């Protein structure tokens, strides 16, 4: 289900036909999400404004809703796919193979063969074993060497799992040359929720050093992939990124710059609605009452939600409840896992009742 609303200043409720959706959630007791296409388009225009040299390849793993993929394809983005299934999905929507990067450094051989058969040539690697698999299954691939970078300032760090150390890149390029494979560029990912802009600058500088090593070995690199981890709320590091790109990869170098944003596009374009299916009253002391509300809200969330994202996502639930005088409330998923909960505090008055529609924006 999706809805488009041209006036972004209106509330989340203005994006949906309340009568229809209230009936849907009360009868079926199932959560649903509403997609605002105008917000999606606005996020893309914002990207082009802040990072004009960087072509976004949307990370399909983040949210593979068909309408999102079709819209982004129409807007001219590329697509970051991490599996055969994701490649198949975007190809079925008319995406051209050259607009796909198979951005996973450890791929099943059958998936590499599928990419080869479909004409998807651009793919990442970070070790010799992957190079040998590619040489057997897709010898005409255009490879991108993923390097490990300093992601110590990020909440979610990825370099311990993905990426080749700078000291090993020379040997990997020599191995690629021995196997007759074409390596066309470098990729990195500084992790999600990065707090230091200089992490991007250093990663871009590291990529430059790999470009220089590759040139000495006879490669002609033409692509830099600066990865993902971009928030949909703002662009705090755009000035640093643009400055580093201009310094290390000036426009006249001819190097194509791409990135793999996912949450950037999906975070603020969806609104989740869920039905409260039960409640439990807790008497904390004689003077104060708290209410735990068991909700289906988390049926639309991932298992773990960073604090800032959870606060953003639950904000409209809090505001909506506060206006109606509800108590301090914990929202729980329908699973048995205690980790799937989030507590909000609002005015301690009347308790929330079962059957109430809860809406969380920006999920």
């Amino acid at each position: 289900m999706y809805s488009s609303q041209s006036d972004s200043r209106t509330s989340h409720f203005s994006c949906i036909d309340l009568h229809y959706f209230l009936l849907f959630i009360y009868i079926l007791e199932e959560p649903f999400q509403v997609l605002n296409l105008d917000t999606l388009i606005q996020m893309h225009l914002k990207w082009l404004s802040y990072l004009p040299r960087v072509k976004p390849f949307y990370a399909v793993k983040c949210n593979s809703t068909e309408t999102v993929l079709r819209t982004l394809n129409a807007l001219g983005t590329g697509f970051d796919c991490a599996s055969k299934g994701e490649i198949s999905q975007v190809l079925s929507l008319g995406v051209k193979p050259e607009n796909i990067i198979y951005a996973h450094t450890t791929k099943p051989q059958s998936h590499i063969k599928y990419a080869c058969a479909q004409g998807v040539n651009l793919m990442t690697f970070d070790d010799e074993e992957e190079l040998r698999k590619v040489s057997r299954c897709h010898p005409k691939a255009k490879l991108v060497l993923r390097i490990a970078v300093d992601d110590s300032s990020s909440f979610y760090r990825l370099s311990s799992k993905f990426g080749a150390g700078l000291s090993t890149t020379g040997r990997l390029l020599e191995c690629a040359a021995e196997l007759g494979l074409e390596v066309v560029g470098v990729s990195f990912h500084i992790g999600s929720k990065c707090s230091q802009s200089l992490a991007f600058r250093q990663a871009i500088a590291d990529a430059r050093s790999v470009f220089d090593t590759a040139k000495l070995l006879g490669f002609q690199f033409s692509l830099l992939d600066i990865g993902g981890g971009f928030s949909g709320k703002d662009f705090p590091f755009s000035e640093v990124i643009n400055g580093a790109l201009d310094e290390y990869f000036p426009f006249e170098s001819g190097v194509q710059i791409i990135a793999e944003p996912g949450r950037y596009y999906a975070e603020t374009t969806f609104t989740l609605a869920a039905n409260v299916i039960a409640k439990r009253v807790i008497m904390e002391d004689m003077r104060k009452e708290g209410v735990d509300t068991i909700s289906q809200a988390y049926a639309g969330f991932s298992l773990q939600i960073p604090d800032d994202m959870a606060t953003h996502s639950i904000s409209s639930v809090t505001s909506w409840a506060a206006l109606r005088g509800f108590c301090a409330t914990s929202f729980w998923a329908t699973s048995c896992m205690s980790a799937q909960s989030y507590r909000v505090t609002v005015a301690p008055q009347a308790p929330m009742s079962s059957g109430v529609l809860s809406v969380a924006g920006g999920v």
Side-chain angles (χ1 to χ4, degrees):
M1 301 179 183
Y2 65 90
S3 173
S4 177
Q5 179 69 29
S6 59
D7 187 356
S8 61
R9 297 169 297 178
T10 57
S11 70
H12 293 291
F13 287 106
S14 67
C15 299
I16 60 178
D17 183 338
L18 279 177
H19 294 292
Y20 175 80
F21 286 122
L22 281 171
L23 181 65
F24 177 86
I25 199 168
Y26 281 139
I27 294 177
L28 299 182
E29 295 189 319
E30 294 291 340
F32 62 86
Q33 296 192 66
V34 179
L35 164 63
N36 190 321
L37 287 178
D38 286 343
T39 300
L40 182 64
I41 294 170
Q42 289 163 10
M43 294 304 293
H44 182 66
L45 296 177
K46 181 180 176 181
W47 179 281
L48 298 180
S49 174
Y50 279 88
L51 295 173
R53 291 187 58 196
V54 184
K55 179 177 179 177
F57 276 60
Y58 174 69
V60 178
K61 68 178 76 66
C62 178
N63 188 311
S64 59
T65 300
E66 182 176 319
T67 305
V68 171
L69 302 182
R70 287 189 181 278
T71 302
L72 291 176
N73 187 39
L75 291 172
T77 72
F79 292 88
D80 154 22
C81 296
S83 67
K84 173 183 175 180
E86 291 179 4
I87 293 173
S88 176
Q89 181 182 14
V90 298
L91 287 175
S92 72
L93 300 178
V95 176
K96 296 180 180 180
E98 57 266 29
N99 286 329
I100 298 173
I101 179 171
Y102 192 173
H104 201 306
T105 58
T106 53
K107 302 170 283 294
Q109 292 191 71
S110 59
H111 291 201
I112 299 174
K113 291 177 181 178
Y114 176 80
C116 179
Q118 299 301 318
V120 176
N121 298 324
L122 195 62
M123 57 184 63
T124 61
F125 77 99
D126 63 5
D127 62 30
E128 290 190 25
E129 175 59 28
E130 195 69 12
L131 284 174
R132 299 188 189 283
K133 283 194 293 184
V134 172
S135 69
R136 294 192 296 268
C137 303
H138 195 347
K140 300 299 182 181
K142 296 183 181 299
L143 295 169
V144 179
L145 172 55
R146 178 162 175 170
I147 60 172
V149 295
D150 181 6
D151 57 2
S152 58
S153 59
S154 296
F155 186 85
Y156 289 111
R157 304 173 64 178
L158 299 174
S159 289
S160 61
K161 182 177 181 181
F162 301 112
L166 292 180
S167 63
T168 68
T169 56
R171 174 55 196 151
L172 287 174
L173 291 172
E174 290 174 350
C175 180
E178 292 168 2
L179 293 170
L181 295 172
E182 182 181 8
V183 184
V184 299
V186 173
S187 72
F188 63 79
H189 197 305
I190 65 163
S192 293
K193 295 183 62 182
C194 178
S195 60
Q196 298 294 327
S197 62
L198 291 181
F200 265 109
R201 179 177 177 79
Q202 184 58 54
I204 292 171
D206 290 344
R208 176 73 262 176
S209 70
V210 179
F211 266 68
D212 295 340
T213 298
K215 186 175 182 179
L216 294 175
L217 294 174
F219 290 94
Q220 297 297 321
F221 281 6
S222 58
L223 178 74
L224 173 65
D225 179 355
I226 64 173
F230 301 92
S231 168
K233 300 175 187 176
D234 48 42
F235 257 115
F237 304 149
S238 59
E239 185 175 347
V240 171
I241 293 172
N242 289 327
L245 290 176
D246 290 342
E247 178 179 351
Y248 295 106
F249 297 93
F251 181 80
E252 55 269 22
S253 69
V255 174
Q256 180 187 13
I257 315 295
I258 69 172
E260 302 168 2
R263 181 162 60 99
Y264 170 80
Y265 281 104
E267 182 177 9
T268 59
T269 57
F270 283 87
T271 298
L272 173 68
N275 197 54
V276 176
I277 62 172
K279 70 173 185 178
R280 179 163 60 99
V281 178
I282 300 175
M283 300 300 295
E284 297 180 355
D285 55 43
M286 295 299 294
R287 296 165 300 167
K288 186 166 57 177
E289 178 185 52
V291 177
D292 276 359
T293 302
I294 303 173
S295 171
Q296 290 183 337
Y298 277 121
F301 293 131
S302 59
L303 177 62
Q304 185 176 10
I305 306 176
D307 288 342
D308 66 336
M309 194 187 303
T311 302
H312 176 68
S313 299
I314 210 73
S315 61
S316 56
V317 176
T318 308
S319 301
W320 186 82
L323 289 174
R324 288 154 180 78
F326 291 130
C327 304
T329 302
S330 294
F331 291 89
W332 296 81
T334 52
S335 77
C336 296
M337 299 189 67
S338 61
Q340 291 182 303
S341 66
Y342 188 77
R343 185 171 180 82
V344 296
T345 303
V346 293
Q349 298 178 25
M352 183 178 287
S353 301
S354 300
V356 171
L357 175 68
S358 301
V359 179
V363 297

